[in-house]
Amino acid sequence: FRHLRAPRNFRQHGPTHVVPSTAASTAQQTRVPASAQAARRLRLFKPQRNRHARMYGMRGPREDPDDVIENPLKLGIIQANALAVGLLNAARSTRKLKIVAAAECDRALLERGCEADELKGLKWYESYNAILRDPDAITRVDAVFIGGNTGSRTPWAVAAAQHHKHVLIGCPAAADYESTVVMRDACVAEGVALMDVVPFSHHERTEQMLSTIAEARFFGEVRRIDVAFTISASRDFLEGAGKESTAKDDPLGCLGDLGWACARMGKLAYGVLNPVSAQVIHSEATAENVPVDITAVVYFGENSTKPCHLHCSYVHPLQQHFKIIGDNKVLRCEDFAYPRNTRDCAYTLETFPAGDEGRSALVDLGQTVVSALNTARCFNASPQRVAMLDQFADLCLLEDDSEWRRQGFEGKHQARELFSSQIIGTQAVVQALVESLRNPGKAIAVPEDTMPPPPPRDNRMRFD
């Protein structure tokens, strides 16, 4: 601190970081200012008093007031599963959405997995149909989350749309591509929102990473994507995956949830480019042909020049990383699905020399790497599931076009079209991988959506 001086007339433009009290006291003990004027020079971070908590992200600072929204989105649960337990926990941290309804047949599962406070205020209905048909304007739900097994999601999603309920669907959305299209068409016909449960795609860190690679003059052209999402499943889980009933209810195996996340990451990173073909390179499956380990490549763009290599598995230790390779930069994220620290999420960007110099990144007889490795951090962002529930509530209720433009959309209708098209596109990739499993070594064309694609989201960085 000997030579540390703030420039004359220095002013802090917004609180970019808060020094902990212990660090501040240590700094004062290191060098005691000789006068009050010197102390003022050393005060680089102004103390914030009586201020609301602020949240920072690529969209710039915004206030997070403590007041409660008068009419939050009311969500009901149909076919509860383990994911429903996680949503009940996340719903305690959002002001835009409340989970208010569940069926008696799911009561034991929810009470076993949730705390008493998380179930407080929940109305228990005698059946799922009773949730959809409740005529009471005060207690009836605006939207439903549909969990359960993969094969039964489409009928309930169509029924919910026909009762004018917005739909939050589990992953995968359905067992096959045609069922997903039926679900999407029903929601479009009834004018309700459809979104799947992929929390990381709504997180501020993901927005920052997409903003980074969207700046072509800075990052260059995206050339390749490698993504892996694996978990070491228990023996009971793997034995259950080998049962005949599992093959009927959840035939997609690791492709249905882990592969779904990998395919979504590839689609987000390549932006407007559509997947063309998919090929499984290596696979392991149960006796009932339920996949438990998949290594595959999905090709994007014309002439299949943009590969996305993915690995999803139930038999390997936890991996949840991806890297996006540009012309002379590589973006890496080591915990995209489940951040190790929800309040301090990070990713790295490594830059190599541009042009011909980039071909010789190794110098000193190949012992030294010439590159700049920077770590970007996202502080105090909402947890991924909370951010996802907030986004779903906006998708259902938000009418303010200026707020939608702040999020990178022209309006609510474009946002709804984009999120539903992401579901269709992801299911199409999974469908092609399933067909490639049945035809080993063969690349399968990815089904094309008959509905024209919506305008892409504007991922450029904005501070408004």
Side-chain angles (χ1 to χ4, degrees), residues 84-121:
V85 175
L87 295 181
L88 278 162
N89 178 268
R92 301 173 63 184
S93 301
T94 176
R95 300 175 293 110
K96 296 183 178 181
L97 179 146
K98 291 180 63 177
I99 299 179
V100 298
E104 283 287 352
C105 58
D106 295 328
R107 189 164 190 162
L109 184 151
L110 294 178
E111 289 180 344
R112 188 166 57 249
C114 299
E115 298 179 2
D117 291 344
E118 296 171 351
L119 301 179
K120 187 179 299 183

Side-chain angles (χ1 to χ4, degrees), residues 396-437:
C396 300
L397 301 179
L398 183 62
E399 301 289 345
D400 186 358
D401 286 343
S402 63
E403 176 62 22
W404 279 117
R405 284 191 293 270
R406 192 192 68 81
Q407 297 185 27
F409 300 99
E410 297 175 0
K412 176 179 67 176
H413 296 292
Q414 181 204 354
R416 288 187 178 183
E417 291 176 4
L418 185 62
F419 285 123
S420 63
S421 69
Q422 287 179 351
I423 298 175
I424 296 295
T426 307
Q427 186 79 58
V429 170
V430 172
Q431 179 81 5
L433 292 174
V434 171
E435 292 296 327
S436 182
L437 277 174

Side-chain angles (χ1 to χ4, degrees), residues 290-311:
V290 176
V292 295
D293 183 65
I294 295 291
T295 302
V297 57
V298 182
Y299 294 99
F300 288 75
E302 296 182 4
N303 303 320
S304 301
T305 56
K306 307 289 186 181
C308 173
H309 293 257
L310 61 89
H311 178 212

Side-chain angles (χ1 to χ4, degrees), residues 103-368:
E104 283 287 352
C105 58
D106 295 328
R107 189 164 190 162
L109 184 151
L110 294 178
E111 289 180 344
R112 188 166 57 249
C114 299
E115 298 179 2
D117 291 344
E118 296 171 351
L119 301 179
K120 187 179 299 183
L122 215 62
K123 181 178 179 180
W124 300 96
Y125 289 80
E126 61 181 8
S127 66
Y128 301 136
N129 281 319
I131 296 176
L132 297 178
R133 296 172 180 173
D134 185 358
D136 192 333
I138 298 177
T139 60
R140 68 187 179 196
V141 299
D142 306 308
V144 291
F145 161 72
I146 301 175
N149 58 63
T150 305
S152 64
R153 286 172 184 163
T154 298
W156 283 113
V158 172
Q162 292 173 347
H163 285 81
H164 307 289
K165 311 298 183 187
H166 305 286
V167 177
L168 181 63
I169 198 78
C171 295
D176 55 72
Y177 178 76
E178 292 74 15
S179 298
T180 309
V181 173
V182 170
M183 178 193 309
R184 190 271 311 273
D185 292 346
C187 291
V188 170
E190 298 296 337
V192 296
L194 173 65
M195 197 176 86
D196 58 350
V197 181
V198 185
F200 73 84
S201 63
H202 306 281
H203 196 251
E204 291 209 24
R205 179 178 59 175
T206 305
E207 293 182 358
Q208 289 184 11
M209 292 186 289
L210 294 179
S211 173
T212 299
I213 65 175
E215 297 292 341
R217 290 180 297 178
F218 170 74
F219 188 82
E221 184 178 357
V222 176
R223 302 288 184 180
R224 174 190 174 107
I225 300 168
D226 293 338
V227 56
F229 193 7
T230 67
I231 61 172
S232 182
S234 64
R235 181 175 300 178
D236 292 341
F237 181 91
L238 294 175
E239 290 177 354
K243 294 181 179 179
E244 183 178 355
S245 58
T246 303
K248 179 181 178 181
D249 295 336
D250 294 294
L252 300 181
C254 65
L255 278 175
D257 46 10
L258 307 181
W260 187 277
C262 294
R264 176 62 55 80
M265 192 66 243
K267 284 186 61 62
L268 290 175
Y270 275 127
V272 296
L273 297 180
N274 293 320
V276 177
S277 62
Q279 180 181 358
V280 173
I281 300 172
H282 168 77
S283 66
E284 295 181 23
T286 66
E288 298 294 332
N289 292 322
V290 176
V292 295
D293 183 65
I294 295 291
T295 302
V297 57
V298 182
Y299 294 99
F300 288 75
E302 296 182 4
N303 303 320
S304 301
T305 56
K306 307 289 186 181
C308 173
H309 293 257
L310 61 89
H311 178 212
C312 57
S313 175
Y314 287 148
V315 298
H316 292 290
L318 176 63
Q319 300 178 83
Q320 45 165 343
H321 58 78
F322 69 82
K323 61 181 178 181
I324 303 173
I325 303 173
D327 289 331
N328 62 315
K329 297 179 186 292
V330 180
L331 186 149
R332 295 182 179 88
C333 181
E334 298 296 331
D335 56 351
F336 75 95
Y338 298 98
R340 293 182 174 88
N341 188 340
T342 58
R343 294 297 181 183
D344 181 9
C345 303
Y347 63 95
T348 63
L349 185 67
E350 188 170 13
T351 305
F352 298 91
D356 293 338
E357 297 177 358
R359 305 182 188 278
S360 58
L362 293 177
V363 297
D364 193 15
L365 300 179
Q367 300 182 81
T368 304

